[in-house]
Amino acid sequence: MTIPGAAIKIFPTSAALQDFLLAQSPGALIIVPHMRLAYQVWRRQRLAARAAGRLAWEPLAMTTLSGWWHQLGPQLWLPVQPASYLQRMSCWLQAMAAAPPPEGVEADLAWAAALDEALDLIERYQIPPAAGAYGESTLIAWRRPVIREFLDLLRQKGSITPAALPSYLLQALQSGSLSWPEKILLVGMETPAPVEQEWLTAVARKCPLIQLILVGREDTARYAITLPDRRQEMDWVAAKVLELADQEQIPLHRLAVTAPNLTEYLPELRRIWRELLGPGMTPEGCWYNFSLGDCLAETPIFHAALLPLRFRTYGELREDLAAWLLSPYYQEFSPQQAVILQWDLIWRRSRIAYNWPALRRAASEADRTESESALLSRLDRIISCLPLDPAPAGIWTKRLQAVWEQSGFPGRLSPLEERSYQHLQELLRDLTALEGSSELSGSTLIEWLNLGARQIDLPGEGTQEAGVQILGLLELRGLDFDAVFCMGLNMGVFPPPPRPLPLLTASERVLVLGGTYQGQQQFAEQAYRNLQAVAPRLICTRPLVQQEEEQTPSFLIDQTWRQETCSPLSRPHPAWLRSPAVRVVFQAPASGGAILNKELTSVKLPSEISLSALMTALACPCQFYFSVLLGLQELPEIDSGLPAPERGSALHQVLERFTRRFSQAIQESDHWNEAAALNCLQIVMEEFQSWAKADPHWQAELERWLAPEGGVLREWLQQERQHYEDGWRWLVMEAPFAGLRLPDWPGTIRGRIDRIDWHKEQGLMLWDYKSGNVPKQRDLEEDRSQFQLPGYLLAVQHGLIPTLPRQQARAGIIGLKSSRQDHLRFEDYGLSAGDWRRLLSLKLAAVAKVGKKVQQGDFRPDPSLPPPGKGNSCTYCSFHLLCGYRPEDVAEEDE
């Protein structure tokens, strides 16, 4: 769209456009679409002036259109000022209170933001006020009164919306109050909004206006590459960027990477470039620059600043307290971090998830020193600075600052962190200055702060004068590079879908750029023409599959797509050999487990270990090294429900107590009394209920055990009665053993058999209670880590439980996972004495093989049942990031 009265000049490349700008006199005003173009032109101007030997020069006058408007406003001493974002949000909340929203719409900040966006579009695109019409939606009908209330509130405060500023400036323009440059150059602005069009048309009557338009050559996009997925697409682009820089000696700042949906790529892109080149800015120079930095709400210091408030507001959660006390920004707690970590471990093991009094009580009940007691007292004082009663924003600011001061926040900051902290302080001042702000709850204050922080954009890592430039598609307009890589060029992304505008009618969305599919196509076509002018080489890429769905290429890219792959670990591009992770893979020994060298394995083996520890060694020697020899444990998490080990331990205790007590009753009466058995079980359960009353999860679990219909233990009693009637008798409960020696295993084994039954004809049966899945016979035979039942049998055969009669023994499992038939059963595997002898021989051979490795200090990863078996000990292992194990037959599949 051209501006009436403006001259037009078209350029095929950004380089030609910039050459034209550099030829202008300082008296011209250049309106640019974004300041990155101004910075690039200024840099070229500075370099040219230095090359000509000049010591000083006058930079070209360049600014954005909105920047020009905001410069003119203060100069004209306008009677009104544009309201800040937070001021507008406050007025919207007041307006919604005066004009309540329809049912289903909450008068909250989210709807305030939606209303603000809708009004901005209505004013920028000069959409006439919607008149009431038959069948219009309740939202549109509500929009009219709430906007009216909002504008009245702004007028009372002497404020206007940002989109209303041009109309006031237009009045000053028409009255002759403005002075003009010798000419105005307008870069871009092919599709100005009506309010911008009106302003520029009036400007063209007062001053020469030249509209500079980029229309790139169609042959610029020489390459169109398809990669299997987005991850490979980013890996390939990074490799090709470095290849161009190396082979063609192109300076890094002359290479750019972009995407229509760049924000979706940014997290992984930041990781990739950091992995390939290290930090973006180093003393040696700048390697890459992300123009799109985080907003303030996404910075670590902002999250840390709100931790005390989050802790107090959202139920005093353990994780919020631990994050607060362990945060490096709170310097006062740094000397006590070891103590705080111990507290966190106590809270996790005690399953105390929230409530400061409960957390404090658990920490103080452990053996504490005077310094730790002093820390608890200091926390009491600090937490008391944040009462939960609602208060105005100014009071909340004082509370927060008191907590920060007593906690040593924020400590020493880097220059980037210092800038973020200053923005946070400004945000608090803006929030405090809101007129007529009501009392806020803690959660509302957090919502306000998050909303304000999301409007504060921070610069990205690096500088625009050095390093690979990663920037948004719109930021590329007018910039000049040697090569540009544009990713993600699929349908549905380029052109993008229409903007969701629930507070505009269908006829109004037609007037808004991006409000319809046709409008988005028009925007994408213009963006692509600009992109073709940015560099002589444009490399377009797209992922073939996204979220497991095959994608279609954008129809705007009139090229034949060529398929490529990029697999840094299996077939690395030379550029990826810079990555430390890739180098480790290719330099690691073929056996894996590079972390376990000779220095690490000089560990004294214990003289005796438990049977479960032996099973860990059989599952994987590396797992045994970390968990048993070094004593490393996975940090317990407080999840909903009950931890499986805790549930299993309690069930074992219930069964042990019940069988001991009821066995005496059976001996006295010499028969199974069903009512007496149930009564005995209920008495034992009542003992557990006394400590489980405070935990609703335990109450539900106990109900599941003893429910009249389908209770696990009720059903188990029925099977135990049948077991008794078949001639089996309980002989020993919880039978401990120790001193078990196995071939080639260093030291002895100790353990405990859950229960031993006796039958006068069938001999002994060694039982193990299982509250989880019962191993299948195939697993018992093939998985070397399944050594519990063989261990029981060997203990009996070696006479380590001397009170037993000398009879043949078998072993099995009593499954108690649920009352389902396949979960609740007596599994004896139907193995004969000969089968058990053969199985024990195989198991002892496996023990000997692992034992020899352990004695030699060989703890390299060697999981039982490795792929392609159905499962292996890596599945739930906590140490897979430490051991370096990577099975060869799944490596290629992972890639």
Side-chain angles (χ1 to χ4, degrees):
M1 183 184 296
T2 58
I3 308 298
I8 297 176
K9 191 170 181 59
I10 298 175
F11 299 89
T13 66
S14 294
L17 169 67
Q18 292 189 15
D19 289 341
F20 179 79
L21 295 179
L22 287 167
Q24 303 304 310
S25 65
L29 175 64
I30 303 171
I31 305 297
V32 293
H34 51 82
M35 289 306 294
R36 288 186 63 85
L37 174 56
Y39 297 141
Q40 194 174 67
V41 173
W42 281 332
R43 180 175 184 272
R44 290 188 59 186
Q45 185 186 14
R46 182 173 69 252
L47 294 176
R50 286 180 176 177
R54 285 181 286 176
L55 299 179
W57 59 90
E58 183 178 354
L60 294 169
M62 290 187 284
T63 185
T64 61
L65 183 59
S66 62
W68 187 27
W69 286 342
H70 283 85
Q71 290 172 13
L72 294 174
Q75 294 174 11
L76 295 172
W77 294 91
L78 295 177
V80 293
Q81 290 295 325
S84 70
Y85 186 75
L86 290 184
Q87 289 173 329
R88 300 201 303 275
M89 292 301 101
S90 177
C91 288
W92 279 118
L93 291 180
Q94 296 176 56
M96 285 189 284
E103 186 177 356
V105 176
E106 295 289 336
D108 56 14
L109 287 172
W111 274 103
L115 284 164
D116 195 65
E117 179 189 25
L119 179 58
D120 180 71
L121 292 173
I122 288 171
E123 292 183 328
R124 285 186 61 228
Y125 287 89
Q126 297 180 341
I127 297 174
Y134 176 76
E136 73 175 2
S137 70
T138 54
L139 280 178
I140 301 301
W142 170 61
R143 190 188 77 185
R144 289 193 297 275
V146 75
I147 287 179
R148 200 162 44 242
E149 291 287 343
F150 171 77
L151 294 176
D152 286 343
L153 286 168
L154 281 187
R155 271 192 294 271
Q156 295 170 19
K157 298 177 185 295
S159 299
I160 57 173
T161 60
L165 179 61
S167 63
Y168 283 86
L169 296 177
L170 197 57
Q171 296 173 17
L173 180 150
Q174 293 167 349
S175 65
S177 303
L178 295 175
S179 57
W180 298 102
E182 62 183 44
K183 62 181 173 182
I184 296 175
L185 304 177
L186 181 65
V187 180
M189 296 289 291
E190 295 87 354
T191 53
V195 69
E196 299 163 344
Q197 173 92 357
E198 184 179 20
W199 165 261
L200 293 171
T201 301
V203 167
R205 299 192 191 103
K206 300 286 185 179
C207 174
L209 178 65
I210 305 174
Q211 193 172 1
L212 310 181
I213 297 176
L214 280 169
V215 179
R217 295 190 297 263
E218 293 183 1
D219 62 347
T220 302
R222 304 177 193 171
Y223 310 98
I225 308 298
T226 298
L227 281 301
D229 53 41
R230 186 180 288 178
R231 171 63 186 273
Q232 290 200 41
E233 180 188 21
M234 289 184 279
D235 290 343
W236 185 89
V237 166
K240 288 297 180 180
V241 167
L242 296 183
E243 180 183 292
L244 280 178
D246 179 60
Q247 295 183 358
E248 301 187 22
Q249 297 300 302
I250 299 176
L252 288 178
H253 71 276
R254 299 290 301 164
L255 300 168
V257 177
T258 188
N261 54 339
L262 185 62
T263 54
E264 298 178 18
Y265 282 83
L266 281 178
E268 190 66 16
L269 276 177
R270 287 193 173 100
R271 186 200 63 77
I272 287 173
W273 285 105
R274 194 177 300 117
E275 185 175 348
L276 284 176
L277 299 176
M281 295 187 69
T282 66
E284 292 76 25
C286 181
W287 292 105
Y288 50 86
N289 169 45
F290 284 91
S291 66
L292 299 177
D294 293 328
C295 65
L296 179 62
E298 295 171 346
T299 58
I301 191 171
F302 179 79
H303 286 291
L306 297 192
L307 281 172
L309 184 59
R310 289 185 60 85
F311 171 70
R312 288 290 285 152
T313 301
Y314 297 137
E316 298 181 340
L317 300 179
R318 173 204 58 82
E319 54 265 36
D320 287 338
L321 178 60
W324 170 23
L325 301 183
L326 295 173
S327 169
Y329 293 103
Y330 291 90
Q331 295 293 302
E332 287 297 316
F333 304 129
S334 296
Q336 301 288 341
Q337 289 214 346
V339 173
I340 296 165
L341 287 169
Q342 286 297 322
W343 286 355
D344 189 45
L345 189 58
I346 291 170
W347 296 331
R348 289 168 181 265
R349 287 175 173 169
S350 304
R351 299 179 57 241
I352 302 175
Y354 58 92
N355 185 261
W356 169 239
L359 294 165
R360 189 193 195 285
R361 191 180 311 114
S364 62
E365 285 176 355
D367 294 334
R368 301 292 102 198
T369 64
E370 291 185 8
S371 62
E372 294 170 23
S373 299
L375 178 57
L376 285 171
S377 300
R378 185 194 303 174
L379 282 173
D380 285 333
R381 292 192 300 272
I382 294 174
I383 290 173
S384 67
C385 295
L386 277 176
L388 294 177
D389 53 297
I395 300 298
W396 275 113
T397 299
K398 292 179 180 178
R399 292 174 180 176
L400 263 180
Q401 289 175 338
V403 170
W404 291 346
E405 182 178 355
Q406 295 186 47
S407 304
F409 181 86
R412 293 184 178 182
L413 301 177
S414 68
L416 285 177
E417 291 173 325
E418 185 65 43
R419 190 181 308 171
S420 299
Y421 182 61
Q422 291 172 1
H423 282 300
L424 174 59
Q425 296 285 9
E426 292 170 3
L427 176 60
L428 287 172
R429 286 194 291 270
D430 290 345
L431 191 58
T432 302
L434 291 180
E435 297 181 12
S437 61
S438 59
E439 293 191 340
L440 307 175
S441 65
S443 59
T444 305
L445 177 70
I446 291 175
E447 190 178 1
W448 271 100
L449 289 172
N450 274 300
L451 183 70
R454 293 200 174 280
Q455 309 308 310
I456 302 174
D457 292 321
L458 302 172
E461 186 179 3
T463 69
Q464 60 188 5
E465 296 182 356
V468 180
Q469 302 294 302
I470 299 102
L471 63 169
L473 190 60
L474 292 180
E475 290 180 288
L476 275 171
R477 289 178 297 175
L479 297 183
D480 176 41
F481 293 98
D482 287 342
V484 172
F485 292 79
C486 187
M487 304 181 294
L489 293 176
N490 282 322
M491 289 295 295
V493 174
F494 194 69
R499 298 164 60 183
L501 301 169
L503 288 166
L504 295 185
T505 65
S507 59
E508 291 171 342
R509 286 196 289 271
V510 173
L511 304 176
V512 174
L513 183 63
T516 63
Y517 284 100
Q518 183 179 2
Q520 289 292 51
Q521 180 176 335
Q522 178 186 356
F523 159 78
E525 289 173 349
Q526 182 60 54
Y528 188 55
R529 285 196 296 270
N530 286 331
L531 185 62
Q532 289 176 310
V534 169
R537 273 187 289 187
L538 172 63
I539 300 93
C540 301
T541 67
R542 70 182 188 90
L544 183 62
V545 175
Q546 184 65 27
Q547 295 180 348
E548 300 182 359
E549 291 186 6
E550 189 167 345
Q551 303 296 304
T552 304
S554 172
F555 68 87
L556 295 174
I557 314 302
D558 188 18
Q559 295 288 328
T560 300
W561 292 88
R562 177 166 55 88
Q563 189 161 350
E564 293 273 1
T565 60
C566 184
S567 183
L569 292 183
S570 61
R571 291 177 296 276
H573 184 281
W576 270 98
L577 294 177
R578 302 174 61 97
S579 165
V582 174
R583 289 202 303 271
V584 165
V585 170
F586 283 91
Q587 294 171 2
S591 57
I595 191 172
L596 296 176
N597 54 36
K598 292 183 179 179
E599 294 179 1
L600 286 174
T601 53
S602 58
V603 176
K604 183 179 179 181
L605 297 172
S607 59
E608 186 171 74
I609 61 171
S610 67
L611 181 59
S612 61
L614 174 63
M615 293 170 63
T616 301
L618 295 173
C620 180
C622 184
Q623 195 178 109
F624 173 76
Y625 174 80
F626 284 124
S627 63
V628 178
L629 299 185
L630 296 187
L632 300 181
Q633 298 179 28
E634 186 177 12
L635 197 62
E637 291 290 344
I638 303 178
D639 298 322
S640 59
L642 298 173
E646 187 174 330
R647 182 192 293 113
S649 175
L651 186 60
H652 276 66
Q653 293 179 53
V654 167
L655 297 177
E656 190 268 338
R657 292 188 189 185
F658 168 75
T659 51
R660 283 190 187 278
R661 295 182 187 181
F662 192 59
S663 64
Q664 296 177 1
I666 293 176
Q667 291 174 5
E668 293 173 0
S669 62
D670 198 26
H671 75 281
W672 184 283
N673 187 315
E674 187 171 351
L678 182 58
N679 181 61
C680 180
L681 181 60
Q682 288 174 332
I683 292 173
V684 172
M685 293 289 289
E686 288 174 1
E687 296 174 0
F688 278 80
Q689 288 173 340
S690 63
W691 58 262
K693 286 181 179 178
D695 192 330
H697 297 298
W698 263 118
Q699 287 297 307
E701 182 67 13
L702 297 182
E703 175 64 25
R704 188 179 74 88
W705 287 357
L706 211 59
E709 295 293 333
V712 177
L713 295 187
R714 284 181 180 265
E715 297 293 333
W716 168 75
L717 276 181
Q718 297 298 320
Q719 294 198 22
E720 284 288 357
R721 184 185 67 175
Q722 184 62 47
H723 195 62
Y724 177 86
E725 293 175 353
D726 289 342
W728 289 98
R729 298 294 181 265
W730 300 334
L731 191 61
V732 183
M733 278 68 75
E734 295 290 324
F737 62 88
L740 176 62
R741 293 194 174 275
L742 302 176
D744 289 314
W745 181 263
T748 58
I749 311 299
R750 66 178 181 274
R752 184 182 299 272
I753 304 174
D754 288 344
R755 199 175 90 199
I756 303 176
D757 292 358
W758 172 80
H759 192 283
K760 64 181 180 180
E761 296 175 356
Q762 300 186 41
L764 299 174
M765 191 70 193
L766 317 180
W767 290 114
D768 181 60
Y769 297 127
K770 282 284 186 200
S771 57
N773 293 324
V774 175
K776 297 180 179 178
Q777 183 172 336
R778 177 187 172 188
D779 297 331
L780 182 65
E781 295 174 349
E782 297 181 4
D783 186 353
R784 69 174 185 234
S785 67
Q786 293 289 341
F787 196 76
Q788 192 162 30
L789 299 184
Y792 290 173
L793 286 169
L794 289 169
V796 172
Q797 291 177 5
H798 283 68
L800 299 180
I801 305 176
T803 58
L804 297 180
R806 290 187 173 276
Q807 287 183 287
Q808 67 176 11
R810 294 179 296 126
I813 290 176
I814 300 177
L816 293 158
K817 184 176 181 180
S818 74
S819 58
R820 282 172 41 182
Q821 184 176 0
D822 57 335
H823 287 171
L824 179 61
R825 69 180 193 270
F826 286 62
E827 179 60 78
D828 62 4
Y829 296 105
L831 299 178
S832 65
D835 294 332
W836 277 111
R837 283 193 297 271
R838 179 182 55 82
L839 181 60
L840 287 176
S841 176
L842 293 173
K843 295 291 182 180
L844 289 175
V847 172
K849 181 180 178 182
V850 175
K852 290 177 182 178
K853 282 187 173 184
V854 168
Q855 291 185 74
Q856 296 169 0
D858 183 359
F859 296 101
R860 287 174 297 178
D862 181 19
S864 60
L865 281 182
K870 185 177 180 181
N872 62 72
S873 57
C874 297
T875 306
Y876 301 106
C877 180
S878 306
F879 310 109
H880 63 279
L881 293 178
L882 296 176
C883 72
Y885 177 71
R886 186 176 179 79
E888 294 181 0
D889 43 66
V890 298
E892 199 66 30
E893 180 183 345
D894 289 348
E895 287 302 317

